[in-house]
Amino acid sequence: MEKKGLRVNGVLRTVIHDPDASLATVLRHQLMLTGTKVSCDTGQCGACSVLVNGKLTLACATKMSRVPDDAAIVTIEGIGQPGALHPIQQAIIANGATQCGFCTPGFVVSTQALLEKNPSPTREDVRTWFTQHHNACRCTGYKQIVDATMDAAAVLRGDMQAEDLDFQMPANGSILGTNYPRPTAIAKVTGTLDYGQDIGLKMPAGTLHLALVQAKVSHANILGVDTSEAEKVPGVAKVITAKDVKGKNRITGLITFPTNKGDGWDRPILCDSKVFQYGDAIAIVAADTPEIARAAA
Ligand code: FES
Ligand code: FES
């Protein structure tokens, strides 16, 4: 273990950490700054972007041993909060540039770094920056994010008023066909929306952790599921299989394909007799820690 002082969003925080732990883990698990999201956890997607001594940094791919003592770290929480949004966050809301929102805190931090370096980027500069800094978005198609970045830059230069980004309710009161902000937008642009991994960190002590057993083949008939070895692992509370699923153990889905001949209730929640595709869920291990659950799975 090592001890470090970090100036996180302007506040000195002392952390005792595993030098091999990632900066993202320390921010999220120890300092509970869950606005920094972790998606790929391998330095590919930019969801975990933070500033370390002013440099845009992928927190998931940065070991604590590489974070200097007394480093100044800015996370999404240090850029803007609900009720005190930064123009970048306002522009993202105004342009509909957050959908699921998982990538959004990373884009906000990355945009902040871009506009500090280049206050008047072209659209091409913006695209190049996000490409070079690994900011990926699966939802928006990027145009809205580029639009938002251009608007935020204009506000920060003083070429546009932040109020111009506010939604104006039409005189007839109808939001149909307008840019009415999605209700969750503020939580998404500030990182205050809790996703599954965030809720997992905020559960009461003693809450069990789950890990999936997933198929490693694309098709198979299941002759049986032997849970005995996993159940012997110390710390494992239960291995859940199809037998434990109440009801018909089926979800609908393929009914939407015109070629589907069934009634739609054709895919199991947990595989019972067949594996349909690589990654299908076969069992769930519940254990005292995520590490034990993953090891037993
Ligand atoms: S979570 Fe860090 S780059 Fe994807
Ligand atoms: S808004 Fe969903 S990944 Fe970007």
Side-chain angles (χ1 to χ4, degrees):
M1 290 289 166
E2 283 180 2
K3 182 177 170 188
K4 243 171 221 160
L6 301 175
R7 283 176 291 124
V8 183
N9 301 326
V11 177
L12 182 61
R13 307 287 300 263
T14 301
V15 289
I16 295 170
H17 62 85
D18 177 349
D20 285 335
S22 72
L23 173 58
T25 299
V26 168
L27 290 172
R28 290 177 47 79
H29 294 229
Q30 292 187 230
L31 301 180
M32 296 309 287
L33 292 168
T34 53
T36 299
K37 307 302 181 192
V38 172
S39 182
C40 69
D41 209 10
T42 56
Q44 303 295 318
C45 75
C48 63
S49 299
V50 297
L51 303 179
V52 178
N53 289 333
K55 185 169 184 294
L56 189 58
T57 301
L58 297 173
C60 77
T62 303
K63 283 191 176 177
M64 282 302 293
S65 55
R66 289 174 44 215
V67 178
D69 195 20
D70 202 36
I73 296 174
V74 177
T75 68
I76 183 69
E77 290 88 350
I79 291 184
Q81 299 279 338
L85 295 177
H86 189 282
I88 295 169
Q89 295 164 317
Q90 291 176 290
I92 286 176
I93 294 173
N95 285 280
T98 182
Q99 290 185 24
C100 81
F102 206 81
C103 70
T104 305
F107 269 100
V108 172
V109 175
S110 185
T111 303
Q112 167 85 346
L114 163 65
L115 298 182
E116 273 177 11
K117 200 175 158 76
N118 179 2
S120 301
T122 63
R123 295 183 71 86
E124 201 47 45
D125 291 339
V126 174
R127 286 185 175 275
T128 301
W129 176 271
F130 289 140
T131 303
Q132 288 176 342
H133 293 87
H134 302 278
N135 292 106
C137 175
R138 293 296 302 270
C139 301
T140 61
Y142 298 101
K143 178 185 178 297
Q144 299 92 326
I145 296 175
V146 179
D147 292 343
T149 305
M150 300 305 283
D151 279 353
V155 171
L156 291 169
R157 286 194 309 268
D159 295 345
M160 184 195 271
Q161 298 301 309
E163 297 73 47
D164 295 341
L165 296 170
D166 291 343
F167 177 74
Q168 302 299 329
M169 183 63 82
N172 66 3
S174 170
I175 60 171
L176 284 178
T178 69
N179 289 339
Y180 186 75
R182 66 180 58 233
T184 53
I186 290 177
K188 286 170 178 170
V189 298
T190 54
T192 51
L193 186 70
D194 282 338
Y195 296 82
Q197 62 177 198
D198 307 318
I199 295 168
L201 290 174
K202 297 169 187 177
M203 297 296 280
T207 300
L208 294 174
H209 298 260
L210 306 179
L212 283 180
V213 179
Q214 292 175 277
K216 294 192 171 58
V217 294
S218 298
H219 295 285
N221 288 322
I222 298 175
L223 303 180
V225 179
D226 182 357
T227 61
S228 56
E229 285 300 309
E231 277 165 345
K232 279 188 217 149
V233 175
V236 169
K238 169 91 179 152
V239 180
I240 300 156
T241 66
K243 289 201 288 288
D244 300 299
V245 179
K246 292 195 176 126
K248 61 173 102 175
N249 184 33
R250 288 292 182 276
I251 51 175
T252 55
L254 296 185
I255 191 72
T256 49
F257 288 98
T259 49
N260 183 43
K261 299 287 189 292
D263 63 359
W265 291 97
D266 40 17
R267 298 301 290 267
I269 295 167
L270 289 177
C271 293
D272 37 29
S273 58
K274 277 180 82 167
V275 166
F276 287 82
Q277 64 186 27
Y278 190 96
D280 269 355
I282 297 172
I284 305 169
V285 179
D288 291 342
T289 68
E291 293 76 19
I292 294 173
R294 279 197 292 269

